[in-house]
Amino acid sequence: MPQLDVDGARLVYDDEGPRDAAEVPLVFVHGWTANRHRWDHQTAHFSARRRVIRLDLRGHGESTGAGVPGIAHLARDVVALLDHLEVERCALVGHSMGGMIAQTVALAHPARVERMVLVNSIGRMTYSRGRGLLMAASTLVPFPLFVAANIKRAFGPGYPREEIRKHIRASAATPREVVMTLYGAMRAFDVLDRAGEISVPTLMVHGYHDVQLPVRQMLRLAKAYPDAVVRVLDAGHELPLEEPAELTRALDAFLTAKP
């Protein structure tokens, strides 16, 4: 299991598929309280013909490390991994918080991103005052309840309850300090005013029933992008789990389309 030490964290990652593929490597970045296995379906599909890289973000999955105050810190971890693997240019795919990281990388290192895919992600957290107060108050409840409430509402209607309970347990295994610190980092994330600087072809795939990051916020971001394609699927916030095959098909069509 390959690992990389970066700024006090040990990052576990997978690097699969042919190194001599004509296409640039495909790099997957998971979301808050998840891990690199969110991308199992996509990795199995794409690694047969192109290089696929995915990592556990610091403090998540099998990686170590404390929480960090901003999304930019996580973006630097991703860039450090690309440097370590000598990947000069890639197609970058991020889910939720991973999409925030992807946008941050694209803004800081535009020459390194050939295409980008944002899955259930946005450019700025926006909510009413009442919703903001509710979110702030939610941090005061016991940690298991906080995690359960956030993960339960991430899934669209009809997703199996036992599967939801399994993912609640997995998310609750993420260290509390990491969960809460990055919760604050996501709430502070804001690149909406700079979105027009990201000129690479970008696919935004979102769940119609996403209540964590509502589809209208993604559409607001898409309007700011010079070159964005939008797909809305019949699912919630956890597209990699709820509709893995449909998501893979959307990625495949976008990644193989002519520029």
Side-chain angles (χ1 to χ4, degrees), residues 126-154:
T126 57
Y127 31 75
S128 66
R129 184 181 179 203
R131 170 78 171 144
L133 291 172
L134 181 62
M135 291 177 69
S138 72
T139 64
L140 303 177
V141 304
F143 181 64
L145 292 180
F146 171 80
V147 172
N150 277 278
I151 302 306
K152 183 178 180 181
R153 68 198 299 272

Side-chain angles (χ1 to χ4, degrees), residues 147-185:
V147 172
N150 277 278
I151 302 306
K152 183 178 180 181
R153 68 198 299 272
F155 292 88
Y159 196 76
R161 292 185 179 180
E162 183 49 47
E163 288 296 306
I164 294 175
R165 286 192 285 267
K166 181 179 73 174
H167 292 299
I168 289 173
R169 290 191 294 270
S171 292
T174 309
R176 183 185 189 281
E177 181 269 340
V178 172
V179 172
M180 302 310 297
T181 302
L182 291 180
Y183 183 72

Side-chain angles (χ1 to χ4, degrees), residues 7-28:
D7 295 336
R10 177 157 295 175
L11 305 180
V12 172
Y13 65 90
D14 296 323
D15 184 2
E16 305 176 47
R19 302 295 187 274
D20 58 352
E23 300 90 350
V24 297
L26 192 51
V27 178
F28 288 98

Side-chain angles (χ1 to χ4, degrees), residues 5 10 14 24 32 43 48 58 70 72 122 132 137 170 174 191 244 248:
D5 291 335
R10 177 157 295 175
D14 296 323
V24 297
W32 182 65
T43 299
R58 61 172 60 224
I122 58 173
T174 309
V191 298
T248 296

Side-chain angles (χ1 to χ4, degrees), residues 213-232:
L213 304 179
V215 67
R216 65 180 180 276
Q217 294 187 28
M218 177 275 293
L219 293 173
R220 184 182 182 193
L221 178 65
K223 288 175 62 178
Y225 267 66
D227 188 2
V229 175
V230 170
R231 286 286 309 275
V232 178

Side-chain angles (χ1 to χ4, degrees), residues 192 200 235:
L192 190 61
V200 299

